[in-house]
Amino acid sequence: MLHARLGWPLGRAYADLSKAWVPCRRSLVSVQSSGCPDHNRLDERRRSHSTASSRQCQQAPVEQEPPVSAYVHLPFCKRRCYYCDFPVSVVGSKPERPGIQQGMQDYITLLCREIEATVKVPGPPLGTVFFGGGTPTLVPPQLLKQILIALNNKYGIAKDAEISMESDPGTFDVLRLQEYMSLGINRFSMGVQCFQQDLLELCGRSHTLEDVYKAINDIHQAGVQNWSLDLISGLPQLNSKHWQHSLQEAVSAGPTHISVYDLQVEAKTPFARWYEPGRHPMPTDEATADMYRAASQFLQQSGYEHYEISNYAKPGTRSQHNLGYWRNAPFYAFGVGAASYLFQRRFSRPRTMQAYQQWVTEFANCSSSNGPYAGNIPGIGSMQAEAIEEQLLDYVMLRLRLADGIPMAELQLKFGHVAAQTVTATLASGSAYANKYAREVYSHGQKHLRLTDPEGFLMSNDCIATLFAELSSDEGCDPMLQTSVL
């Protein structure tokens, strides 16, 4: 099965670790496309392995640097796409109605209250802010300004910060883009998904192909310099001819960044009721793998570097916010359903508006140093910090998504000599994965271990699962490793 082969790495659901542990943007999958076995099962395996090995090794968690990124969830959508399982609030085709606008204002007020209640971890100002959704471009600029003011007042926003905003065709025009840019938004990510009208309708997208081309024109007319375009492979009825056309149109649109996610059929969605992965009208597993290979080849030939399993960028335009996720850096997160990572704790907020409102009220009213919201840091009082073994598994899993791979000197510094030896022995040095699926490379004189492109990325789930098993054995723990803790 392709999904068993591709697994979590390719999908979008995992591109954005803030939307769900561990996020990506709209519910896709097989790599977060993109991705399968799926990530939830991988995460369960990671937890069970680390629990077993933690009985043998009791090291302190790796110290985290201060968070310099913030994810903000704006859940409003015109309609819910048939593949989506993200926490969204459907506002219909006329979001400008007074009642809808008041609902947005109420949510922004609640979200700003959460920001104000969350303690600032000592450190530099925010270097990245990411507005995800949902469809953030449905939120009027004057409301978005309130969030940016709240973030800046509480944490500070660096002058050169990357401030990104997700968008959908049909939800903005030139003037609206320029208003967002005047607030400091300097990167847009547009969910096109495909360049076939019938496939857009089949997916339940709210925009038309005409909207797509108008949006591309508006982006250029507004003078947007840094923007990303999203595509989804593995859609029902998608064939190689359609896929090649979408890739060509995406490149012709001139984005600085392109994300390619393979569809993941999420439980309890219409797609889950209608389709079964790998069976008609879904593409076969091999056809989906070929789409991944075609994207990698064509986009790199078109001047984009394949810097992460699902992401391609022109030189100098990698998503700095998402790179923080893949490097397992801590980050703030705010809003319904958002997941933060602070002090080795991944804390997910309630996914329904009513439950989120109740949670914010309790959280904002809690000033005690004890209890579930100790120190006004979500998760501190109610969750244990990740054990060193969990941090190790997260580190290698996320780093292997990157073309840069695992910096072996850093791995050894953080987790010890035995862990570094185990990774090398499992994926390189004559192993079954060496050369075809993984290899050692040198960058600036430093050794990195990375998956090959595209075959290693396609087999990433197998590689990761094998590595998990080896790292979770008694030999995978370094009893001499004692790392400082926050």
Side-chain angles (χ1 to χ4, degrees):
M1 292 292 291
L2 173 67
H3 291 281
R5 187 166 68 248
L6 292 181
W8 63 269
L10 298 178
R12 169 174 254 152
Y14 304 106
D16 184 354
L17 293 183
S18 56
K19 287 189 180 174
W21 155 243
V22 307
C24 270
R25 251 184 66 174
R26 290 175 182 76
S27 175
L28 313 185
V29 220
S30 273
V31 233
Q32 199 185 4
S33 172
S34 329
C36 290
D38 59 30
H39 180 291
N40 290 335
R41 290 203 292 274
L42 260 184
D43 190 43
E44 290 171 3
R45 182 178 299 175
R46 176 179 68 87
R47 302 293 179 185
S48 64
H49 283 329
S50 62
T51 299
S53 62
S54 66
R55 299 191 187 102
Q56 307 298 328
C57 302
Q58 298 294 331
Q59 300 100 350
V62 174
E63 184 174 357
Q64 281 189 329
E65 66 270 32
V68 292
S69 295
Y71 172 82
V72 180
H73 192 69
L74 301 176
F76 309 104
C77 279
K78 287 186 175 180
R79 62 185 297 181
R80 180 183 286 276
C81 301
Y82 297 147
Y83 51 72
C84 178
D85 75 337
F86 284 153
V88 301
S89 178
V90 176
V91 298
S93 60
K94 296 183 178 180
E96 67 279 2
R97 289 175 296 172
I100 298 298
Q101 292 295 299
Q102 184 59 53
M104 289 184 180
Q105 176 63 79
D106 292 345
Y107 176 76
I108 300 306
T109 299
L110 188 64
L111 191 149
C112 288
R113 189 180 184 194
E114 182 192 352
I115 292 172
E116 293 162 2
T118 302
V119 71
K120 171 179 168 56
V121 179
L126 297 175
T128 73
V129 177
F130 194 100
F131 292 99
T135 309
T137 41
L138 287 175
V139 176
Q142 65 268 25
L143 295 186
L144 197 78
K145 182 179 180 180
Q146 296 176 25
I147 304 173
L148 287 167
I149 290 173
L151 289 171
N152 190 50
N153 287 343
K154 187 73 181 201
Y155 310 104
I157 299 177
K159 291 183 179 180
D160 60 348
E162 176 192 86
I163 306 180
S164 303
M165 188 176 197
E166 289 183 350
S167 64
D168 278 348
T171 64
F172 59 83
D173 56 19
V174 173
L175 177 60
R176 197 175 186 92
L177 288 174
Q178 291 175 336
E179 288 178 318
Y180 289 135
M181 294 165 67
S182 72
L183 299 177
I185 307 298
N186 51 27
R187 183 178 184 274
F188 293 87
S189 179
M190 185 167 66
V192 171
Q193 320 313 14
C194 64
F195 281 84
Q196 291 79 31
Q197 178 61 36
D198 57 339
L199 292 184
L200 291 173
E201 294 173 3
L202 185 148
C203 292
R205 298 291 290 171
S206 64
H207 66 262
T208 65
L209 189 55
E210 182 180 355
D211 291 332
V212 170
Y213 288 113
K214 180 182 182 302
I216 292 170
N217 183 67
D218 287 346
I219 285 174
H220 290 295
Q221 289 295 317
V224 176
Q225 299 298 309
N226 190 12
W227 67 286
S228 181
L229 186 151
D230 295 351
L231 295 176
I232 303 176
S233 64
L235 292 170
Q237 301 181 14
L238 181 65
N239 57 40
S240 59
K241 182 179 180 180
H242 290 152
W243 183 238
Q244 191 62 40
H245 175 73
S246 286
L247 291 172
Q248 292 169 346
E249 290 298 284
V251 169
S252 296
T256 52
H257 187 284
I258 295 177
S259 295
V260 176
Y261 302 112
D262 181 47
L263 176 70
Q264 177 161 333
V265 178
E266 300 285 2
K268 299 181 180 179
T269 62
F271 268 23
R273 296 196 301 271
W274 301 339
Y275 306 118
E276 182 178 343
R279 299 189 64 178
H280 186 77
M282 300 286 282
T284 64
D285 293 345
E286 194 55 44
T288 303
D290 284 343
M291 290 179 195
Y292 185 80
R293 296 183 181 102
S296 178
Q297 180 181 24
F298 181 76
L299 293 177
Q300 290 186 78
Q301 289 175 346
S302 301
Y304 294 86
E305 57 173 345
H306 192 182
Y307 73 97
E308 192 270 341
I309 283 183
S310 302
N311 290 284
Y312 303 77
K314 293 286 189 178
T317 65
R318 296 182 179 188
S319 169
Q320 297 304 306
H321 184 85
N322 283 344
L323 281 173
Y325 293 146
W326 308 138
R327 291 168 179 161
N328 210 28
F331 56 89
Y332 300 100
F334 307 99
V336 60
S340 55
Y341 184 41
L342 300 170
F343 296 98
Q344 290 92 27
R345 292 162 174 85
R346 300 188 187 275
F347 182 83
S348 296
R349 286 141 191 81
R351 288 173 58 90
T352 67
M353 198 66 74
Q354 183 177 0
Y356 172 67
Q357 181 177 7
Q358 181 178 352
W359 176 81
V360 171
T361 299
E362 294 175 354
F363 177 63
N365 291 336
C366 180
S367 58
S368 171
S369 59
N370 299 309
Y373 309 121
N376 283 94
I377 298 175
I380 285 290
S382 58
M383 305 170 64
Q384 290 186 341
E386 289 181 328
I388 188 73
E389 296 82 6
E390 291 178 311
Q391 294 179 57
L392 170 59
L393 297 179
D394 287 349
Y395 178 87
V396 298
M397 178 176 66
L398 295 170
R399 281 285 186 164
L400 284 174
R401 288 191 61 115
L402 293 170
D404 295 337
I406 301 172
M408 298 306 293
E410 181 180 278
L411 174 68
Q412 181 167 328
L413 179 65
K414 286 177 174 289
F415 301 103
H417 180 66
V418 172
Q421 277 190 325
T422 301
V423 170
T424 299
T426 304
L427 296 182
S429 302
S431 75
Y433 297 106
N435 299 320
K436 183 174 183 180
Y437 301 117
R439 62 171 58 115
E440 294 176 324
V441 297
Y442 285 83
S443 177
H444 304 292
Q446 298 295 314
K447 184 170 73 172
H448 291 239
L449 196 153
R450 59 151 298 174
L451 298 180
T452 60
D453 180 9
E455 298 306 319
F457 284 155
L458 282 168
M459 288 293 292
S460 58
N461 185 63
D462 283 354
C463 297
I464 297 293
T466 300
L467 192 53
F468 275 16
E470 293 298 323
L471 288 172
S472 298
S473 67
D474 291 349
E475 293 78 9
C477 296
D478 192 338
M480 300 303 294
L481 176 61
Q482 293 292 335
T483 311
S484 60
V485 62
L486 284 175

